[in-house]
Amino acid sequence: MDSNYNEQSTPAVCASCLGPNPYVEMLRERNGLECKLCTRPFTVFKWAPVKGRVGSGSFKKTVICLTCARSKNCCQSCMLDLNFGIDLTTRDQLLKLASGNGGKIEKTLTQDPQNQVMKIYKADQLERKYAEQGEAGVADLSEKMDRAKELLDGITKLSESTSSNKITNKKSSGKQSTVTNGKKMSSAELLKLCKDLPFNGRLSVPPTNKKVKSFFIFGINDRIADYLIKEKINELLSEPRNSSKKVESLSVNHKGMFGFIELSDRATAERLASIISSKQSPEISRGNASYPFPCLLVIDSCPMRVCWAGKHLYNGGDSGFEMANIRQIVIRQMVKYAEKDNEISIKRESKDDHSILSASNKKRKLQALPPPPGKSIKYKTTKSDYEL
Amino acid sequence: MTDSLVTVKKSGVAQKKVGRRPARVQLDPATINADSKPAQTGQVFNLWYSKWTGGETNGKALLTHSKTRCHLKQDSGYTNADKHVKPDSINRDKFICLYFARGYCCNGKRCEYLHRLPCDLDFFPPTLDCFGREKFSAYRDDMSGIGSFSRINKTLYVGRINSLENNGEMLIAKNFGEFGDLVRTRVVKDRKIAFVTYKLESQAQFAKEAMHGQSLHEDDMNEALNIRWANEDPDPKAQKREREENEMHALETAKKLLKSMNASEQSEAKRQRTVEVPSDDDVEEEVTTKLIEDVKPAKPLIRSIIKNDSLDVFRQLQLKRTREAALVKKVESPEVANGNSGLQSIIGGYGSSSDDDDDDDDDN
C-alpha cells in the first residue's frame, strides 16, 4: 500500500467537514468501526470542526473506509462529492446526463453489491487496484476541475437545447396515457361515482348551508405539488407564505385530477370565492350577473377549476379504474368550460359598447404580455394539454 | 399566541425563524423519573440500552398510542442552538431535537437542539438525518428506523389507520401537512394505508418521528399510526415522474455549480489583480471579499481534501531535506542541522515510496 495516501494517516474529508480552523485535532482509532458500505473494519477519525463548541453537531467522524470513499470520490464523513459538494445521486445523475443515453461512467458508480461477501470482495479488489496505481491513480485537482467544468457546461447547454423538445414530447405522449382496461362504466355507476363531485358547481353563489367552507378543485395536473396550491391560496388571501392557518386542509387525488380545499372558517372561504371569481370575470361581477361555471385558477401555468364543494366531500372508492373514469370526466369538463369561456368572451366583445379599436387594443395587449390568470386567452392556448 | 407568530413571520422565510419566542417546555421535568425502567416487555433488562430483551416478543413493546405529541404552533421557538444559526441563513451544523418532534422535550429554550421544523435552508449531511442520527446503507427489512443514505426518500408509509371513512384524505392531509410541505398524498382505502410525500427529505424524517404512534383524531386513544419509509412506487408513471424530477434537480444543481465556479474564478482573478496593483483602494478589496462570501456556500467544491497538493508539498520538503543533508555534510553549520531535525518531525510518515522501500530493506 502506498504510504503517501494512507488510510492510517489521513482521512479523505472535505473542507466543510473539517471546519474553519486550519489546525484540526483528530482522534484516531485503528479498526474502530465497520465501513458502512463494504462492512470491513477501517481506521476511524473523529474531530470537532469548531473547537470547544458543545451541543448538537459538535463532533464529526468518518463513516466509510478510504477505499470506498475513493471509489465514489466522496468525503469519508459526509459522503458528498469531494469536488462539487453535492450528493452522490445528483452527481451520478449529472454524469449520466453528460455521457448521453448509453452512460458508461455511472454504471460502475451506482451498482453496488448487496451481499456482504461480495461487498468485501469488491472492496478488496478496489484496494489492490488503488495500491498498484499509487499516486498515478489520483488525477490532478485543477485538471479535474477543468474537466468537470467542461462537463457541466455541456450539460447545461444540452438541457437548454432539449428543454423545448421535451415539453412537446410530453404533450404527445400524454395523449396515449388513459387506459381503462377495456372495461366501461355504466352511466348509473358513473353518476354514483360523481355524486359528491360538483363538476357543474359555481363559485359566485355561496351555498346556503353555512357549514360548508370547502371548495372543489379539478383539472389538477400531475406535476402540481399540493403545497403549491396551498401557497397560491395563501397568496390570494394575501397571507404570509407558509402560514397554513387559513387553509385548514387540502387533499388532492392526483390520479383523479381533483381535490378539495377546506378553509379555516366560512368568512375566509367566502372571501376566497369572491377573489377568485372576480379574477375570472371582472365585467360580470361588476354587474349583477354571476359566472355560471366553476372559476378558473391558474397555478404554475396549469389551469384548474374551482367551485364550492357540496355538503359531503368525495368518499367513494379509489381504485385505478374508478379514478381513470373520473379523470376522463375531468378532462372533458375542462375542455367544455374552456369552450364556454371562449363563447362568452366572443359574445362580450361583440356586445361591448367599446369601439373596435379599443377591443383590438385589448387583445393585442393580452397577447403581448403573459396574460394574467383568469383571462380566457391563456387558457385557450393550454387547452390542448387536456385532450387525451 | 399564534397571532404573534404570524406577525413575526413577515420575512420571506417564515418557517426558518419562529419569532422571538422561546421554545416551550413540552413536558414538566418534575414528572420524569430518571431511574424508572420502561414497562416490562421482556425477561432481561439491558442497562446499556435501557431496553428489555427476551420473552415472546424479544422485549419489543407493542405499538401503543403516544402519550405526547408535538404541536408545532405552540411548541416551536428559539433554543440555545439558535445562537449558532443566524436568521435566514444556511444551517449546516445544528440539528433538530428528536424529543421535540416526539413532543416530550423538557429542556425548552435550554435545549442544545433546534425546536422547529426543518426547512430548505437546513443542509444535513446525507449520512445523518435531521436529528443528527446516523443513517445506514440499507433500510431495515420492515422499512422502519432512521433510513438509508443510498436513496433520497421523501415518502412515508402510514399504516394501522383505524378508519378512513368521512374524508380520510382530508384527515391525512391535515395531520401530515402540519409537519412539512406535502407534495402528494395517496390514500388506499381498501387496505387502510396511506402514502405521503414531502417536499424535503428532512421534513419526511421529522414527520416520521412526530406522527409515529399518534392518531388522526387527536382524542382517539385506540389508534396508533405505524409510520415507515415507503418503498419505491411500482407505478411506471410515478417512476417516470420521479426520474424527470431527479433530472430537473440535477440540472438545477449543475447550473448553480457552474455559476459558483465562474464566480470563484472571477474572484480569484480579481484577487490577483488587487495583489498586482496595491495602489487600488479598499473599495476593490471589499468587492472581492463580497464575491468570496457569495461563493462560500459552495466552498467544499473549490478546495477539497488533503490531496495531491499537500502531498506535493511534502515531497518538495523531502527533496529539500536531502539537498540540505548534502549541504550539512559540506558545511556542518549548527543552524542547518536544527532545521533538518525540524523537517524530519514535520514529514513524519509522509515518506516517498522510494524511501519506504529503503526502510523495508532495513527491516529485512
Short mmCIF file of all heavy atoms in Angstrom, two decimals, chain A residues 103-160:
data_model
loop_
_atom_site.label_atom_id
_atom_site.label_comp_id
_atom_site.label_asym_id
_atom_site.label_seq_id
_atom_site.Cartn_x
_atom_site.Cartn_y
_atom_site.Cartn_z
N GLY A 103 -24.83 5.66 -20.95
CA GLY A 103 -23.86 6.08 -19.95
C GLY A 103 -22.99 4.94 -19.49
O GLY A 103 -23.47 3.90 -19.08
N LYS A 104 -21.68 5.13 -19.57
CA LYS A 104 -20.79 4.07 -19.11
C LYS A 104 -20.31 4.37 -17.70
O LYS A 104 -20.09 3.47 -16.92
CB LYS A 104 -19.56 3.99 -20.03
CG LYS A 104 -19.87 3.47 -21.41
CD LYS A 104 -18.59 3.49 -22.23
CE LYS A 104 -18.89 3.78 -23.69
NZ LYS A 104 -17.73 4.29 -24.39
N ILE A 105 -20.15 5.66 -17.42
CA ILE A 105 -19.47 6.03 -16.18
C ILE A 105 -20.28 5.62 -14.97
O ILE A 105 -19.77 5.03 -14.03
CB ILE A 105 -19.25 7.56 -16.11
CG1 ILE A 105 -18.69 8.05 -17.43
CG2 ILE A 105 -18.33 7.90 -14.96
CD1 ILE A 105 -18.72 9.55 -17.57
N GLU A 106 -21.58 5.91 -15.03
CA GLU A 106 -22.35 5.80 -13.80
C GLU A 106 -22.58 4.35 -13.40
O GLU A 106 -22.88 4.07 -12.26
CB GLU A 106 -23.66 6.57 -13.93
CG GLU A 106 -24.84 5.79 -14.40
CD GLU A 106 -24.76 5.49 -15.88
OE1 GLU A 106 -23.87 6.05 -16.58
OE2 GLU A 106 -25.56 4.70 -16.36
N LYS A 107 -22.45 3.44 -14.34
CA LYS A 107 -22.71 2.05 -14.01
C LYS A 107 -21.77 1.55 -12.92
O LYS A 107 -22.18 0.89 -11.99
CB LYS A 107 -22.55 1.19 -15.26
CG LYS A 107 -23.89 0.98 -15.97
CD LYS A 107 -23.73 0.05 -17.13
CE LYS A 107 -24.98 0.12 -18.01
NZ LYS A 107 -24.76 -0.49 -19.30
N THR A 108 -20.52 1.90 -13.06
CA THR A 108 -19.55 1.43 -12.08
C THR A 108 -19.76 2.11 -10.74
O THR A 108 -19.36 1.59 -9.72
CB THR A 108 -18.12 1.72 -12.57
OG1 THR A 108 -18.06 3.12 -12.88
CG2 THR A 108 -17.78 0.90 -13.78
N LEU A 109 -20.39 3.28 -10.76
CA LEU A 109 -20.52 4.04 -9.52
C LEU A 109 -21.73 3.60 -8.71
O LEU A 109 -21.71 3.59 -7.50
CB LEU A 109 -20.63 5.53 -9.82
CG LEU A 109 -19.37 6.17 -10.37
CD1 LEU A 109 -19.67 7.58 -10.83
CD2 LEU A 109 -18.29 6.18 -9.31
N THR A 110 -22.82 3.27 -9.40
CA THR A 110 -24.06 3.07 -8.66
C THR A 110 -24.36 1.62 -8.34
O THR A 110 -25.06 1.35 -7.38
CB THR A 110 -25.24 3.66 -9.44
OG1 THR A 110 -25.12 3.25 -10.78
CG2 THR A 110 -25.24 5.16 -9.34
N GLN A 111 -23.87 0.70 -9.14
CA GLN A 111 -24.23 -0.68 -8.90
C GLN A 111 -23.35 -1.27 -7.81
O GLN A 111 -22.23 -1.72 -8.05
CB GLN A 111 -24.10 -1.49 -10.18
CG GLN A 111 -25.29 -1.28 -11.10
CD GLN A 111 -25.17 -2.06 -12.37
OE1 GLN A 111 -24.17 -2.72 -12.61
NE2 GLN A 111 -26.20 -2.00 -13.19
N ASP A 112 -23.88 -1.28 -6.63
CA ASP A 112 -23.14 -1.83 -5.51
C ASP A 112 -23.64 -3.22 -5.20
O ASP A 112 -24.84 -3.49 -5.31
CB ASP A 112 -23.32 -0.95 -4.28
CG ASP A 112 -22.65 0.40 -4.47
OD1 ASP A 112 -21.57 0.42 -5.06
OD2 ASP A 112 -23.22 1.40 -4.05
N PRO A 113 -22.76 -4.12 -4.81
CA PRO A 113 -23.22 -5.46 -4.44
C PRO A 113 -24.06 -5.42 -3.17
O PRO A 113 -23.83 -4.60 -2.29
CB PRO A 113 -21.91 -6.22 -4.25
CG PRO A 113 -20.88 -5.19 -4.02
CD PRO A 113 -21.32 -3.97 -4.74
N GLN A 114 -25.02 -6.31 -3.09
CA GLN A 114 -25.90 -6.35 -1.93
C GLN A 114 -25.39 -7.33 -0.87
O GLN A 114 -25.58 -7.13 0.32
CB GLN A 114 -27.31 -6.76 -2.36
CG GLN A 114 -28.00 -5.73 -3.25
CD GLN A 114 -28.19 -4.41 -2.55
OE1 GLN A 114 -28.70 -4.35 -1.44
NE2 GLN A 114 -27.76 -3.32 -3.19
N ASN A 115 -24.76 -8.38 -1.34
CA ASN A 115 -24.28 -9.43 -0.46
C ASN A 115 -23.02 -8.98 0.29
O ASN A 115 -22.16 -8.33 -0.28
CB ASN A 115 -23.97 -10.64 -1.36
CG ASN A 115 -23.59 -11.84 -0.57
OD1 ASN A 115 -22.87 -11.74 0.40
ND2 ASN A 115 -24.07 -12.99 -1.00
N GLN A 116 -22.93 -9.34 1.56
CA GLN A 116 -21.80 -8.85 2.35
C GLN A 116 -20.47 -9.38 1.84
O GLN A 116 -19.49 -8.64 1.75
CB GLN A 116 -21.98 -9.26 3.81
CG GLN A 116 -20.99 -8.55 4.71
CD GLN A 116 -21.04 -9.03 6.14
OE1 GLN A 116 -21.82 -9.90 6.48
NE2 GLN A 116 -20.19 -8.47 6.97
N VAL A 117 -20.45 -10.67 1.48
CA VAL A 117 -19.20 -11.25 0.98
C VAL A 117 -18.77 -10.55 -0.30
O VAL A 117 -17.59 -10.22 -0.49
CB VAL A 117 -19.39 -12.76 0.74
CG1 VAL A 117 -18.10 -13.37 0.24
CG2 VAL A 117 -19.84 -13.45 2.01
N MET A 118 -19.74 -10.27 -1.14
CA MET A 118 -19.41 -9.59 -2.40
C MET A 118 -18.90 -8.18 -2.14
O MET A 118 -18.00 -7.70 -2.80
CB MET A 118 -20.65 -9.54 -3.30
CG MET A 118 -20.86 -10.75 -4.14
SD MET A 118 -19.39 -11.23 -5.03
CE MET A 118 -19.27 -9.90 -6.22
N LYS A 119 -19.52 -7.53 -1.15
CA LYS A 119 -19.09 -6.18 -0.80
C LYS A 119 -17.61 -6.18 -0.41
O LYS A 119 -16.82 -5.37 -0.89
CB LYS A 119 -19.91 -5.64 0.38
CG LYS A 119 -21.27 -5.12 0.02
CD LYS A 119 -21.97 -4.69 1.30
CE LYS A 119 -23.43 -4.32 1.02
NZ LYS A 119 -24.18 -4.15 2.26
N ILE A 120 -17.26 -7.13 0.48
CA ILE A 120 -15.88 -7.20 0.96
C ILE A 120 -14.94 -7.52 -0.18
O ILE A 120 -13.89 -6.90 -0.35
CB ILE A 120 -15.76 -8.25 2.08
CG1 ILE A 120 -16.58 -7.81 3.30
CG2 ILE A 120 -14.31 -8.47 2.48
CD1 ILE A 120 -16.70 -8.85 4.37
N TYR A 121 -15.36 -8.48 -1.01
CA TYR A 121 -14.52 -8.90 -2.13
C TYR A 121 -14.25 -7.73 -3.06
O TYR A 121 -13.11 -7.46 -3.44
CB TYR A 121 -15.22 -10.04 -2.88
CG TYR A 121 -14.53 -10.44 -4.15
CD1 TYR A 121 -13.35 -11.17 -4.12
CD2 TYR A 121 -15.04 -10.07 -5.39
CE1 TYR A 121 -12.70 -11.53 -5.29
CE2 TYR A 121 -14.41 -10.40 -6.55
CZ TYR A 121 -13.24 -11.14 -6.50
OH TYR A 121 -12.60 -11.48 -7.66
N LYS A 122 -15.31 -7.02 -3.39
CA LYS A 122 -15.17 -5.92 -4.33
C LYS A 122 -14.26 -4.82 -3.76
O LYS A 122 -13.40 -4.27 -4.46
CB LYS A 122 -16.55 -5.33 -4.64
CG LYS A 122 -16.57 -4.53 -5.93
CD LYS A 122 -17.88 -3.83 -6.09
CE LYS A 122 -17.74 -2.73 -7.12
NZ LYS A 122 -18.88 -1.81 -7.08
N ALA A 123 -14.44 -4.54 -2.46
CA ALA A 123 -13.62 -3.51 -1.83
C ALA A 123 -12.15 -3.92 -1.82
O ALA A 123 -11.27 -3.10 -2.06
CB ALA A 123 -14.12 -3.26 -0.41
N ASP A 124 -11.91 -5.23 -1.55
CA ASP A 124 -10.53 -5.72 -1.56
C ASP A 124 -9.90 -5.55 -2.94
O ASP A 124 -8.74 -5.14 -3.08
CB ASP A 124 -10.49 -7.19 -1.14
CG ASP A 124 -10.58 -7.34 0.37
OD1 ASP A 124 -10.27 -6.36 1.07
OD2 ASP A 124 -10.98 -8.42 0.84
N GLN A 125 -10.70 -5.90 -3.95
CA GLN A 125 -10.21 -5.76 -5.33
C GLN A 125 -9.85 -4.31 -5.62
O GLN A 125 -8.79 -4.01 -6.16
CB GLN A 125 -11.30 -6.20 -6.31
CG GLN A 125 -11.61 -7.68 -6.27
CD GLN A 125 -10.54 -8.49 -6.95
OE1 GLN A 125 -10.10 -8.13 -8.03
NE2 GLN A 125 -10.09 -9.54 -6.29
N LEU A 126 -10.74 -3.41 -5.22
CA LEU A 126 -10.51 -1.99 -5.47
C LEU A 126 -9.25 -1.52 -4.76
O LEU A 126 -8.43 -0.80 -5.31
CB LEU A 126 -11.70 -1.17 -4.97
CG LEU A 126 -12.86 -1.01 -5.93
CD1 LEU A 126 -14.01 -0.32 -5.24
CD2 LEU A 126 -12.42 -0.21 -7.15
N GLU A 127 -9.11 -2.00 -3.50
CA GLU A 127 -7.96 -1.56 -2.72
C GLU A 127 -6.67 -1.98 -3.38
O GLU A 127 -5.71 -1.21 -3.46
CB GLU A 127 -8.07 -2.14 -1.31
CG GLU A 127 -7.11 -1.50 -0.34
CD GLU A 127 -7.40 -1.92 1.09
OE1 GLU A 127 -8.57 -1.86 1.49
OE2 GLU A 127 -6.44 -2.32 1.77
N ARG A 128 -6.68 -3.22 -3.88
CA ARG A 128 -5.48 -3.71 -4.56
C ARG A 128 -5.18 -2.86 -5.78
O ARG A 128 -4.05 -2.51 -6.06
CB ARG A 128 -5.68 -5.18 -4.96
CG ARG A 128 -4.36 -5.91 -5.12
CD ARG A 128 -4.60 -7.39 -5.32
NE ARG A 128 -5.35 -8.00 -4.23
CZ ARG A 128 -6.11 -9.10 -4.38
NH1 ARG A 128 -6.24 -9.67 -5.55
NH2 ARG A 128 -6.72 -9.61 -3.34
N LYS A 129 -6.23 -2.55 -6.50
CA LYS A 129 -6.07 -1.75 -7.71
C LYS A 129 -5.46 -0.39 -7.39
O LYS A 129 -4.51 0.06 -8.04
CB LYS A 129 -7.43 -1.57 -8.37
CG LYS A 129 -7.39 -1.02 -9.78
CD LYS A 129 -8.80 -0.87 -10.33
CE LYS A 129 -9.06 0.54 -10.77
NZ LYS A 129 -10.47 0.84 -10.90
N TYR A 130 -6.00 0.26 -6.36
CA TYR A 130 -5.50 1.58 -6.00
C TYR A 130 -4.06 1.51 -5.52
O TYR A 130 -3.26 2.40 -5.80
CB TYR A 130 -6.37 2.21 -4.92
CG TYR A 130 -7.75 2.56 -5.40
CD1 TYR A 130 -8.84 2.44 -4.57
CD2 TYR A 130 -7.95 3.02 -6.70
CE1 TYR A 130 -10.11 2.75 -5.01
CE2 TYR A 130 -9.21 3.33 -7.15
CZ TYR A 130 -10.29 3.19 -6.31
OH TYR A 130 -11.54 3.51 -6.76
N ALA A 131 -3.73 0.42 -4.80
CA ALA A 131 -2.37 0.27 -4.31
C ALA A 131 -1.40 0.14 -5.47
O ALA A 131 -0.29 0.68 -5.45
CB ALA A 131 -2.28 -0.95 -3.40
N GLU A 132 -1.83 -0.58 -6.52
CA GLU A 132 -0.97 -0.73 -7.69
C GLU A 132 -0.80 0.60 -8.41
O GLU A 132 0.29 0.96 -8.83
CB GLU A 132 -1.59 -1.75 -8.65
CG GLU A 132 -1.22 -3.17 -8.30
CD GLU A 132 -2.08 -4.16 -9.08
OE1 GLU A 132 -2.70 -3.76 -10.09
OE2 GLU A 132 -2.16 -5.32 -8.64
N GLN A 133 -1.90 1.32 -8.53
CA GLN A 133 -1.84 2.60 -9.22
C GLN A 133 -1.00 3.61 -8.46
O GLN A 133 -0.25 4.36 -9.05
CB GLN A 133 -3.25 3.17 -9.38
CG GLN A 133 -4.02 2.55 -10.52
CD GLN A 133 -5.41 3.11 -10.61
OE1 GLN A 133 -5.84 3.85 -9.73
NE2 GLN A 133 -6.11 2.77 -11.66
N GLY A 134 -1.14 3.59 -7.14
CA GLY A 134 -0.40 4.53 -6.33
C GLY A 134 -0.81 5.95 -6.62
O GLY A 134 -1.99 6.23 -6.84
N GLU A 135 0.15 6.83 -6.67
CA GLU A 135 -0.14 8.25 -6.85
C GLU A 135 -0.69 8.53 -8.24
O GLU A 135 -1.45 9.48 -8.43
CB GLU A 135 1.13 9.08 -6.63
CG GLU A 135 1.46 9.32 -5.19
CD GLU A 135 0.37 10.08 -4.47
OE1 GLU A 135 0.09 11.22 -4.86
OE2 GLU A 135 -0.22 9.52 -3.53
N ALA A 136 -0.33 7.70 -9.21
CA ALA A 136 -0.73 7.97 -10.59
C ALA A 136 -2.25 7.93 -10.74
O ALA A 136 -2.81 8.56 -11.62
CB ALA A 136 -0.08 6.96 -11.52
N GLY A 137 -2.88 7.12 -9.89
CA GLY A 137 -4.33 6.98 -10.00
C GLY A 137 -5.09 8.23 -9.60
O GLY A 137 -6.23 8.41 -9.99
N VAL A 138 -4.47 9.07 -8.81
CA VAL A 138 -5.17 10.28 -8.36
C VAL A 138 -4.90 11.39 -9.35
O VAL A 138 -3.77 11.84 -9.49
CB VAL A 138 -4.68 10.68 -6.95
CG1 VAL A 138 -5.52 11.82 -6.43
CG2 VAL A 138 -4.76 9.50 -6.02
N ALA A 139 -5.92 11.80 -10.04
CA ALA A 139 -5.74 12.83 -11.05
C ALA A 139 -5.47 14.18 -10.40
O ALA A 139 -5.81 14.39 -9.25
CB ALA A 139 -7.00 12.93 -11.92
N ASP A 140 -4.86 15.04 -11.18
CA ASP A 140 -4.53 16.36 -10.66
C ASP A 140 -5.81 17.15 -10.41
O ASP A 140 -6.77 17.07 -11.18
CB ASP A 140 -3.66 17.09 -11.68
CG ASP A 140 -3.14 18.39 -11.10
OD1 ASP A 140 -2.63 18.36 -9.96
OD2 ASP A 140 -3.25 19.42 -11.78
N LEU A 141 -5.82 17.91 -9.31
CA LEU A 141 -7.06 18.57 -8.87
C LEU A 141 -7.52 19.61 -9.90
O LEU A 141 -8.68 19.62 -10.30
CB LEU A 141 -6.84 19.22 -7.51
CG LEU A 141 -8.08 19.85 -6.90
CD1 LEU A 141 -9.10 18.78 -6.58
CD2 LEU A 141 -7.74 20.64 -5.66
N SER A 142 -6.60 20.44 -10.34
CA SER A 142 -7.02 21.51 -11.25
C SER A 142 -7.50 20.92 -12.57
O SER A 142 -8.47 21.39 -13.17
CB SER A 142 -5.85 22.47 -11.50
OG SER A 142 -4.76 21.76 -12.02
N GLU A 143 -6.84 19.84 -12.98
CA GLU A 143 -7.24 19.16 -14.21
C GLU A 143 -8.67 18.66 -14.08
O GLU A 143 -9.51 18.81 -14.96
CB GLU A 143 -6.30 17.97 -14.42
CG GLU A 143 -6.04 17.61 -15.86
CD GLU A 143 -4.98 16.53 -15.93
OE1 GLU A 143 -5.37 15.36 -15.82
OE2 GLU A 143 -3.78 16.87 -16.03
N LYS A 144 -8.92 18.06 -12.90
CA LYS A 144 -10.23 17.51 -12.61
C LYS A 144 -11.29 18.60 -12.70
O LYS A 144 -12.36 18.42 -13.28
CB LYS A 144 -10.23 16.96 -11.19
CG LYS A 144 -10.41 15.47 -11.10
CD LYS A 144 -10.55 15.13 -9.64
CE LYS A 144 -10.32 13.66 -9.39
NZ LYS A 144 -10.25 13.39 -7.97
N MET A 145 -10.98 19.75 -12.08
CA MET A 145 -11.96 20.82 -12.04
C MET A 145 -12.25 21.32 -13.46
O MET A 145 -13.40 21.63 -13.79
CB MET A 145 -11.47 21.97 -11.17
CG MET A 145 -11.38 21.65 -9.70
SD MET A 145 -12.87 20.91 -9.05
CE MET A 145 -13.83 22.37 -8.72
N ASP A 146 -11.20 21.40 -14.27
CA ASP A 146 -11.41 21.86 -15.64
C ASP A 146 -12.33 20.92 -16.38
O ASP A 146 -13.25 21.33 -17.08
CB ASP A 146 -10.06 21.97 -16.38
CG ASP A 146 -9.29 23.20 -15.94
OD1 ASP A 146 -9.93 24.08 -15.33
OD2 ASP A 146 -8.07 23.27 -16.20
N ARG A 147 -12.08 19.63 -16.19
CA ARG A 147 -12.90 18.63 -16.89
C ARG A 147 -14.35 18.72 -16.40
O ARG A 147 -15.29 18.66 -17.19
CB ARG A 147 -12.34 17.23 -16.63
CG ARG A 147 -12.25 16.44 -17.92
CD ARG A 147 -11.99 14.97 -17.65
NE ARG A 147 -13.16 14.17 -17.93
CZ ARG A 147 -13.56 13.18 -17.18
NH1 ARG A 147 -12.91 12.88 -16.09
NH2 ARG A 147 -14.61 12.48 -17.50
N ALA A 148 -14.47 18.88 -15.09
CA ALA A 148 -15.81 18.96 -14.51
C ALA A 148 -16.56 20.16 -15.08
O ALA A 148 -17.75 20.07 -15.39
CB ALA A 148 -15.71 19.09 -13.00
N LYS A 149 -15.82 21.25 -15.24
CA LYS A 149 -16.46 22.45 -15.75
C LYS A 149 -16.93 22.23 -17.18
O LYS A 149 -18.03 22.64 -17.57
CB LYS A 149 -15.48 23.62 -15.69
CG LYS A 149 -16.18 24.90 -15.34
CD LYS A 149 -15.23 26.06 -15.38
CE LYS A 149 -16.02 27.30 -15.72
NZ LYS A 149 -15.16 28.39 -16.08
N GLU A 150 -16.10 21.58 -17.95
CA GLU A 150 -16.48 21.26 -19.33
C GLU A 150 -17.78 20.46 -19.35
O GLU A 150 -18.72 20.75 -20.09
CB GLU A 150 -15.38 20.43 -19.99
CG GLU A 150 -14.44 21.22 -20.85
CD GLU A 150 -13.29 20.35 -21.31
OE1 GLU A 150 -13.55 19.22 -21.74
OE2 GLU A 150 -12.14 20.79 -21.19
N LEU A 151 -17.80 19.43 -18.48
CA LEU A 151 -18.97 18.57 -18.41
C LEU A 151 -20.21 19.37 -18.08
O LEU A 151 -21.24 19.26 -18.74
CB LEU A 151 -18.76 17.52 -17.31
CG LEU A 151 -18.06 16.22 -17.70
CD1 LEU A 151 -17.95 15.32 -16.49
CD2 LEU A 151 -18.82 15.52 -18.81
N LEU A 152 -20.09 20.21 -17.04
CA LEU A 152 -21.24 21.00 -16.59
C LEU A 152 -21.72 21.92 -17.69
O LEU A 152 -22.91 22.07 -17.95
CB LEU A 152 -20.86 21.81 -15.36
CG LEU A 152 -20.74 21.03 -14.06
CD1 LEU A 152 -20.25 21.93 -12.96
CD2 LEU A 152 -22.08 20.43 -13.68
N ASP A 153 -20.74 22.54 -18.37
CA ASP A 153 -21.08 23.43 -19.48
C ASP A 153 -21.91 22.68 -20.51
O ASP A 153 -22.93 23.15 -20.98
CB ASP A 153 -19.80 23.95 -20.13
CG ASP A 153 -19.57 25.41 -19.79
OD1 ASP A 153 -20.58 26.10 -19.59
OD2 ASP A 153 -18.41 25.83 -19.75
N GLY A 154 -21.40 21.49 -20.85
CA GLY A 154 -22.08 20.66 -21.85
C GLY A 154 -23.49 20.32 -21.42
O GLY A 154 -24.43 20.42 -22.21
N ILE A 155 -23.62 19.96 -20.14
CA ILE A 155 -24.94 19.54 -19.65
C ILE A 155 -25.94 20.69 -19.74
O ILE A 155 -27.05 20.54 -20.22
CB ILE A 155 -24.83 19.05 -18.20
CG1 ILE A 155 -24.12 17.71 -18.15
CG2 ILE A 155 -26.21 18.90 -17.59
CD1 ILE A 155 -23.67 17.32 -16.77
N THR A 156 -25.50 21.87 -19.28
CA THR A 156 -26.45 22.99 -19.27
C THR A 156 -26.83 23.38 -20.69
O THR A 156 -27.99 23.69 -20.96
CB THR A 156 -25.86 24.21 -18.54
OG1 THR A 156 -24.48 24.31 -18.86
CG2 THR A 156 -26.03 24.08 -17.05
N LYS A 157 -25.85 23.33 -21.59
CA LYS A 157 -26.17 23.66 -22.98
C LYS A 157 -27.16 22.65 -23.54
O LYS A 157 -28.13 22.98 -24.21
CB LYS A 157 -24.88 23.67 -23.81
CG LYS A 157 -24.27 25.05 -23.89
CD LYS A 157 -22.96 25.00 -24.63
CE LYS A 157 -22.09 26.20 -24.26
NZ LYS A 157 -20.68 25.94 -24.55
N LEU A 158 -26.87 21.38 -23.24
CA LEU A 158 -27.73 20.29 -23.73
C LEU A 158 -29.15 20.48 -23.22
O LEU A 158 -30.12 20.35 -23.97
CB LEU A 158 -27.17 18.96 -23.22
CG LEU A 158 -27.58 17.72 -23.98
CD1 LEU A 158 -26.65 17.51 -25.15
CD2 LEU A 158 -27.53 16.51 -23.06
N SER A 159 -29.26 20.83 -21.94
CA SER A 159 -30.59 20.96 -21.35
C SER A 159 -31.33 22.13 -21.97
O SER A 159 -32.53 22.07 -22.21
CB SER A 159 -30.48 21.15 -19.84
OG SER A 159 -29.96 22.42 -19.57
N GLU A 160 -30.61 23.22 -22.24
CA GLU A 160 -31.27 24.37 -22.83
C GLU A 160 -31.79 24.06 -24.22
O GLU A 160 -32.86 24.50 -24.63
CB GLU A 160 -30.30 25.56 -22.88
CG GLU A 160 -30.33 26.38 -21.60
CD GLU A 160 -29.04 27.12 -21.37
OE1 GLU A 160 -28.29 27.35 -22.34
OE2 GLU A 160 -28.76 27.48 -20.21
#
